[in-house]
Amino acid sequence: MLAVGRWLSASGLQMGGNRFSDRLLPLLFVPVIIISVLPMIRLAVEGLFVHGTPSLDYLRDVAQSSQTWRATAHSLYTAGLGTVISLLIGGAFAFLVALTDIRAKAALVFCFMIPMMIPPQITALAWVQLTGPSSALLNAIGMAPAMGSPQPLYSAEGIALLLGIQHASIVFLTLRANLRLLPREQIEAARLAGARGGRLWWQVILPLTSPGLIAGTAMAFVTALGNFGIQAMLGIPGNYITLPTLIYRKLSSFGPSALGEVSVLAMLIGLIAVVGVIIHHRLLSKRDYRLMGVVGRPLDIRLGNRRLVIEIVLWAVLVAILVVPLMALVATSLVPAFGVRLSLDNFSFDAFYQVLFVQPATIRAFHNSLLLAVGAAIVLVGVCLPLAYVIVRRPTRLTRVINLLVEIPYALPGVVLAIACILLFIRIPVLNISLYGTLAIIFVAYLARFLIIALRPVMNSFLQLDPALEEAAQACGAGVGRRLRDILLPLAAPAAAAGALLVFLTAFNELTVSALLWSAGNETLGVLIFNLDDSGDSVMASAVAVMVVGVVVALMTGFQLASRHLPKGVIPWQT
Amino acid sequence: MADINLHNVTKTFGDYRAVNDVSLNIADGEFVALLGPSGCGKTTLLRLLAGFEEPDGGVISLAGQAVADPAAKIMVAPEDRNLGIVFQSYALWPHMSVARNVGYPLEVRKLSRADRDKRIRDALAIVSLGDYADRSPTELSGGQRQRVALARCLVMEPRAVLLDEPLANLDVHLRETMQQAFLDFHRRTGATMVYVTHDQAEAMAMADRIAVMDRGHIRQMAAPETLYREPSDNMVAGFVGAGAVLPVGGFTMQGDGRCAVRIGNADVMARISIEASTHCRAYPARMVPSNDGAAVVDGQMQHQTSLGLCLRPEDVRVDMQGNLTGMVDDCVYLGGRFRLSVRLDGQHSVPVYADQRARIGEQISLSIRDGWVFSRQEAA
């Protein structure tokens, strides 16, 4: 054996073709486990142990508290109602865009996706600035409700409405992906068989698209459940407490001493989310509608003379859910002093000047968020390139497990991950240092949560890459290092860049995780907007929000323009 | 350049034996086609040669040196085998120019710039793409891309060139041109070439020898004309060339490798394979004397030894004096001639080329000039 080995190395021959990726595997596996699995284990331990011994005390405390069940009911009600609203708006848009001959589809889709990319706390802020008695926009045009009348959005239905609008694009995306795979022949066959109008919709199109509808519904529900921004911005002033806000309140009033109880609550949210996902998989497994036929030819049901009316309605809905709230946001940010009625003569950019150059807290927050987002993007892309390569090119049981594990921190509601990170990093066992109260803990949590965002585009790109491209290089004599450098990296670079930008975009605006992990001096932009609004400074909050929306729209436009050069599936709104 | 030897090579994917105990010798400079239906293992065999797959058993040698031998724990990586490969998808790198694609093997081998440029120029000249050096591969047509891929193989002076269905993505007209390009390439370079295809016309037009594969086995390896005239078993007879295989009830040996077989109501003279004739001699008990005194194999033999008569359409003629009669089943115009399908005894049809159209259902007489009798039993 030794002799053979020596002969092999002497003659420059190699055993096996993939030693490199075999060596790489544990190097990647360990960090992935640490950031995606360990925190969750730590969370379970915290909830189920008291002072190191297994105990159900926390569980009992939480279960006996009427607060818990009220918050759970509130969470289920708002997320459920919100999902119904998402389903109605997103479903209607998806069917009309994918199946009919309406015009300007690309513009419609792009605008419809903006609400998804705008952080929820900004959506909430914009809508609060739109409605209610102190609305700068309504006051400017003299349509504001009387002073002292309640803000209508500070209610369960208000929360549900905004959750519904925020997540309508999720339903839209999954449904449209499904509709795109719907071969036009199947519908044409139904029409030739005599089905028309409603019968066609109910008996053919709807059943065939039910997998997309189910998947979209489940995703919208789970996301709505964990959406902290809207629930906090509307629920806390209105004293309508849901599970994420209950956790936030307990942690901010009692600090780390509440961790035991809070981790049980986090597990409760996690459990509801998991049940949602399981129901979704159950429903899907019973429907194996593999669609046969030529894919890719879009169906164009002629709307005839109703087309113009439908187009006007669609754009009107977009104006109502996107343009008007953002106008309200801009209007508030231009108010010269709080309470002053805005007009064309007195608007001022003072708030922008203040947040960008004067207020130390806002400057710091910009700085922190920029640092976190850029850092996370760079680190994650650096990890994802080799990770995606190994997962795609070496599909073993281990890599399949990794592929699932990296989904967990993103699929579970953000508060769950945040609590888990506090628990794990408040005192790191061996090193005996604490990350709690530093920017580092937010950074680690971001790495865990957004790993999947960076990984998917790179994996897609490797999957779409013809293996022959790499094999041709191999036959030319290029070893694995050269192949990565000369062939794989240049070809995966657009996807990696897109992944990095998506991570940046998401991390730059993140609130849910940082709301629980921030400390004085370590605020993020999301937290800043939330705090400014909380302390009544809605003008400055709006100014920050307007700038963030500007960044989001600019980046999205950049993606749109670069879309031709990116592999399929990289841009979230172009499935 | 080198010869290639495979000895009892086996490759399994899970429970599926993609390549099953294959032994194969390819001489230096030979052009061999691996032919078979999809899923027969031909591409796997090529990938084993290239080193992209590792065999489970057996030995693969290049120029006498083992490059894959699981028993001795030898597995030379593809990048160290010095084999050129041309893929169906061309596998040109879109981010490199044509010249850099072609020169990449030299870049890896750290040749000097001047040396590289000269060899790139020469290689592109051979595939007549000299003017395209600075283009991007995406600007080229399918045939041009495939020629770039060929030039990329050429510059590295490989020990052999492996081609994996290189023409499958091209349209019919381009295919013929490219076949000629491959043949020219083979003649000019004298490279050992292994060519995977499912298209028998392509294989017969180009290869010195063809290995017909089916379900992981090599069924027959022979020159194209031998394969066509003397298929060794049912699968090869059916897969290669148009024709029919009829079950043979009995035959009378006529010496000189020929025999008379009874088809329908007539005796037909045919060549017979050694296996088929010895196989029947091994069962003399079943030979019964016929009326005219010659030894005829009992009709029962049909089920047990399964002899087959392979008839090619050019061996069958419409002939008023022919002793074989049948009914026309089908008539297709091929341009210049018709191909009839004539049903003989209610069950079996033979293909016939005819000069005139025939009515469906018409009774016609045929004469058979030649045929090939072989043992239909497949080797285990």
Side-chain angles (χ1 to χ4, degrees):
Chain A
M1 211 28 250
L2 255 175
V4 171
R6 209 173 304 130
W7 174 75
L8 283 173
S9 51
S11 56
L13 302 181
Q14 264 189 23
M15 300 263 298
N18 286 294
R19 274 201 322 197
F20 170 78
S21 42
D22 288 339
R23 273 203 313 268
L24 206 58
L25 207 50
L27 281 178
L28 293 167
F29 190 55
V30 170
V32 168
I33 287 283
I34 289 180
I35 64 168
S36 18
V37 185
L38 222 51
M40 301 302 158
I41 296 174
R42 184 66 190 78
L43 180 71
V45 169
E46 183 69 21
L48 301 175
F49 287 77
V50 177
H51 300 306
T53 47
S55 153
L56 297 178
D57 285 1
Y58 289 136
L59 222 58
R60 200 173 47 236
D61 287 351
V62 170
Q64 282 174 352
S65 159
S66 62
Q67 241 183 352
T68 306
W69 301 114
R70 199 164 54 238
T72 308
H74 287 174
S75 268
L76 289 174
Y77 178 69
T78 49
L81 188 60
T83 305
V84 171
I85 295 170
S86 296
L87 205 55
L88 290 176
I89 305 178
F93 264 78
F95 279 119
L96 288 169
V97 167
L99 297 183
T100 69
D101 61 348
I102 55 164
R103 286 163 289 189
K105 286 180 182 176
L108 207 58
V109 171
F110 183 79
C111 293
F112 193 64
M113 283 303 120
I114 295 178
M116 180 173 85
M117 304 307 286
I118 290 178
Q121 67 276 15
I122 292 181
T123 309
L125 182 65
W127 281 81
V128 169
Q129 294 313 313
L130 171 65
T131 55
S134 60
S135 164
L137 188 71
L138 293 187
N139 276 312
I141 55 173
M143 282 178 60
M147 276 296 165
S149 59
Q151 162 60 264
L153 290 174
Y154 290 163
S155 63
E157 288 72 25
I159 295 175
L161 175 69
L162 292 207
L163 288 176
I165 291 173
Q166 180 92 26
H167 303 135
S169 34
I170 296 179
V171 176
F172 173 83
L173 281 177
T174 45
L175 193 56
R176 190 171 69 135
N178 194 165
L179 287 169
R180 283 232 171 141
L181 297 176
L182 186 73
R184 122 197 237 159
E185 288 91 334
Q186 297 203 337
I187 292 175
E188 285 167 349
R191 291 176 78 174
L192 285 177
R196 70 180 78 232
R199 180 184 286 271
L200 187 67
W201 284 93
W202 287 109
Q203 295 188 337
V204 180
I205 298 178
L206 221 53
L208 282 176
T209 50
S210 59
L213 276 171
I214 293 168
T217 308
M219 280 170 67
F221 177 76
V222 171
T223 317
L225 193 70
N227 188 320
F228 176 74
I230 288 171
Q231 296 177 16
M233 299 272 278
L234 303 183
I236 291 176
N239 204 21
Y240 187 85
I241 299 304
T242 58
L243 280 174
T245 43
L246 179 64
I247 290 176
Y248 174 76
R249 270 200 164 175
K250 276 193 188 291
L251 213 58
S252 51
S253 29
F254 300 110
S257 67
L259 275 174
E261 249 182 272
V262 155
S263 47
V264 174
L265 286 172
M267 281 190 275
L268 183 59
I269 303 187
L271 190 72
I272 297 173
V274 168
V275 169
V277 172
I278 290 175
I279 292 176
H280 149 227
H281 278 287
R282 273 285 163 78
L283 287 174
L284 277 190
S285 66
K286 289 185 190 149
R287 303 160 190 266
D288 184 10
Y289 295 155
R290 232 154 290 163
L291 300 174
M292 280 162 288
V294 185
V295 166
R297 284 197 300 151
L299 192 78
D300 286 322
I301 295 178
R302 296 251 169 102
L303 293 174
N305 49 16
R306 278 168 299 176
R307 182 165 77 171
L308 187 66
V309 179
I310 289 176
E311 283 170 348
I312 291 173
V313 170
L314 287 182
W315 283 103
V317 169
L318 271 180
V319 167
I321 65 174
L322 180 70
V323 181
V324 174
L326 288 182
M327 276 169 60
L329 196 65
V330 173
T332 307
S333 73
L334 297 177
V335 167
F338 193 68
V340 177
R341 191 178 149 169
L342 186 69
S343 73
L344 280 176
D345 311 319
N346 68 354
F347 70 89
S348 120
F349 290 101
D350 187 53
F352 288 93
Y353 179 73
Q354 288 283 326
V355 294
L356 276 178
F357 302 109
V358 180
Q359 299 284 332
T362 58
I363 297 170
R364 205 163 54 223
F366 264 109
H367 187 246
N368 284 341
S369 275
L370 209 59
L371 191 70
L372 287 169
V374 171
I378 292 174
V379 170
L380 285 179
V381 165
V383 172
C384 284
L385 281 167
L387 190 64
Y389 178 74
V390 172
I391 291 177
V392 171
R393 285 286 185 261
R394 300 278 287 168
T396 61
R397 192 169 299 163
L398 185 63
T399 54
R400 273 193 287 272
V401 169
I402 295 181
N403 200 7
L404 284 180
L405 289 182
V406 294
E407 296 261 10
I408 297 173
Y410 192 66
L412 285 178
V415 282
V416 182
L417 177 73
I419 302 295
C421 280
I422 297 177
L423 290 167
L424 190 65
F425 299 115
I426 197 163
R427 169 135 297 138
I428 298 174
V430 185
L431 303 172
N432 220 18
I433 49 170
S434 174
L435 294 185
Y436 190 56
T438 69
L439 210 54
I441 192 169
I442 304 181
F443 187 65
V444 175
Y446 279 8
L447 291 185
R449 191 153 167 82
F450 303 136
L451 176 62
I452 191 75
I453 297 184
L455 186 65
R456 286 290 169 253
V458 182
M459 269 183 69
N460 274 340
S461 148
F462 280 147
L463 278 172
Q464 285 165 33
L465 216 60
D466 183 359
L469 287 175
E470 198 194 343
E471 287 171 354
Q474 218 174 345
C476 288
V480 92
R482 272 210 86 114
R483 293 204 299 275
L484 272 177
R485 199 189 74 198
D486 294 345
I487 312 295
L488 294 171
L489 287 191
L491 293 175
L501 272 176
L502 282 178
V503 169
F504 176 84
L505 198 60
T506 327
F508 193 59
N509 296 316
E510 205 283 335
L511 172 63
T512 316
V513 171
S514 46
L516 294 179
L517 298 180
W518 73 280
S519 48
N522 295 317
E523 306 92 342
T524 63
L525 270 183
V527 172
L528 177 76
I529 294 173
F530 180 63
N531 286 352
L532 283 174
D533 180 67
D534 202 32
S535 57
D537 205 342
S538 46
V539 179
M540 272 222 260
S542 301
V544 176
V546 167
M547 281 187 281
V548 170
V549 170
V551 170
V552 169
V553 174
L555 281 179
M556 281 180 71
T557 311
F559 271 120
Q560 186 79 17
L561 293 179
S563 61
R564 273 193 313 124
H565 307 287
L566 296 170
K568 279 180 92 171
V570 165
I571 299 181
W573 58 91
Q574 291 192 334
T575 44
Chain B
M1 295 300 158
D3 55 326
I4 299 169
N5 296 287
L6 279 79
H7 185 67
N8 298 349
V9 172
T10 297
K11 173 73 188 174
T12 53
F13 295 109
D15 295 335
Y16 177 65
R17 292 200 160 200
V19 171
N20 196 351
D21 200 25
V22 165
S23 295
L24 185 68
N25 296 308
I26 298 171
D28 189 5
E30 197 176 14
F31 192 138
V32 167
L34 299 177
L35 174 69
S38 58
C40 71
K42 55 192 190 299
T43 293
T44 308
L45 191 61
L46 194 81
R47 293 176 61 81
L48 283 165
L49 281 178
F52 298 131
E53 305 287 351
E54 201 172 337
D56 299 313
V59 183
I60 301 174
S61 325
L62 284 176
Q65 182 197 24
V67 290
D69 183 358
K73 302 223 179 295
I74 294 172
M75 176 64 195
V76 178
E79 52 265 40
D80 300 320
R81 292 194 182 189
N82 197 18
L83 291 170
I85 182 157
V86 174
F87 293 92
Q88 181 178 343
S89 58
Y90 323 126
L92 298 180
W93 304 299
H95 59 295
M96 299 181 184
S97 68
V98 166
R100 186 151 181 238
N101 262 287
V102 172
Y104 188 71
L106 308 176
E107 201 179 311
V108 172
R109 287 168 177 72
K110 300 194 173 67
L111 262 72
S112 76
R113 187 71 201 232
D115 228 7
R116 235 155 58 193
D117 287 347
K118 183 184 175 311
R119 282 169 68 173
I120 293 169
R121 253 199 322 276
D122 292 349
L124 282 175
I126 287 187
V127 295
S128 354
L129 283 176
D131 298 337
Y132 293 79
D134 297 322
R135 300 275 187 96
S136 157
T138 47
E139 297 168 36
L140 305 186
S141 69
Q144 289 171 331
R145 289 183 202 188
Q146 201 54 291
R147 280 172 12 220
V148 174
L150 204 57
R152 182 173 63 190
C153 285
L154 180 65
V155 289
M156 59 192 271
E157 290 169 0
R159 296 200 275 191
V161 180
L162 313 177
L163 304 107
D164 187 5
E165 308 232 10
L167 303 184
N169 282 348
L170 302 180
D171 66 49
V172 182
H173 294 294
L174 206 51
R175 263 186 226 183
E176 272 179 37
T177 325
M178 283 305 293
Q179 279 183 16
Q180 200 52 49
F182 287 141
L183 277 177
D184 288 345
F185 175 84
H186 182 231
R187 283 178 199 133
R188 288 174 77 154
T189 60
T192 309
M193 289 173 85
V194 183
Y195 189 106
V196 163
T197 179
H198 63 267
D199 181 341
Q200 43 152 323
E202 212 171 282
M204 290 209 259
M206 288 191 280
D208 298 325
R209 281 195 300 159
I210 298 175
V212 180
M213 286 192 73
D214 183 40
R215 279 171 281 166
H217 292 283
I218 291 190
R219 290 278 169 216
Q220 187 175 7
M221 181 159 179
E225 53 275 27
T226 313
L227 214 57
Y228 186 81
R229 301 302 303 167
E230 300 174 359
S232 67
D233 66 20
N234 221 19
M235 185 266 151
V236 178
F239 190 75
V240 177
V245 176
L246 306 179
V248 172
F251 67 85
T252 319
M253 284 303 297
Q254 302 277 323
D256 200 20
R258 299 183 70 81
C259 66
V261 286
R262 190 139 193 96
I263 293 295
N265 52 355
D267 278 327
V268 170
M269 290 299 290
R271 292 162 291 120
I272 182 164
S273 75
I274 296 172
E275 289 81 25
S277 59
T278 53
H279 190 81
C280 289
R281 270 190 212 117
Y283 301 95
R286 293 190 188 274
M287 309 281 268
V288 294
S290 68
N291 296 342
D292 55 2
V296 171
V297 179
D298 183 351
Q300 235 187 329
M301 286 290 290
Q302 192 180 327
H303 306 290
Q304 295 181 12
T305 60
S306 296
L307 291 183
L309 171 70
C310 174
L311 290 175
R312 300 297 183 191
E314 59 271 21
D315 295 332
V316 186
R317 270 181 307 161
V318 180
D319 182 354
M320 298 288 270
Q321 275 80 52
N323 50 6
L324 199 60
T325 53
M327 190 181 78
V328 177
D329 244 3
D330 192 16
C331 173
V332 178
Y333 186 54
L334 298 179
R337 60 184 173 179
F338 295 88
R339 191 186 61 219
L340 313 181
S341 169
V342 179
R343 186 169 293 273
L344 293 180
D345 45 10
Q347 271 188 46
H348 301 286
S349 301
V350 291
V352 185
Y353 289 144
D355 299 329
Q356 287 171 352
R357 190 178 284 280
R359 268 185 303 110
I360 310 285
E362 184 182 342
Q363 289 282 333
I364 56 172
S365 301
L366 304 172
S367 69
I368 293 176
R369 193 174 58 176
D370 193 17
W372 168 250
V373 177
F374 62 98
S375 168
R376 292 167 73 203
Q377 271 177 345
E378 290 172 0

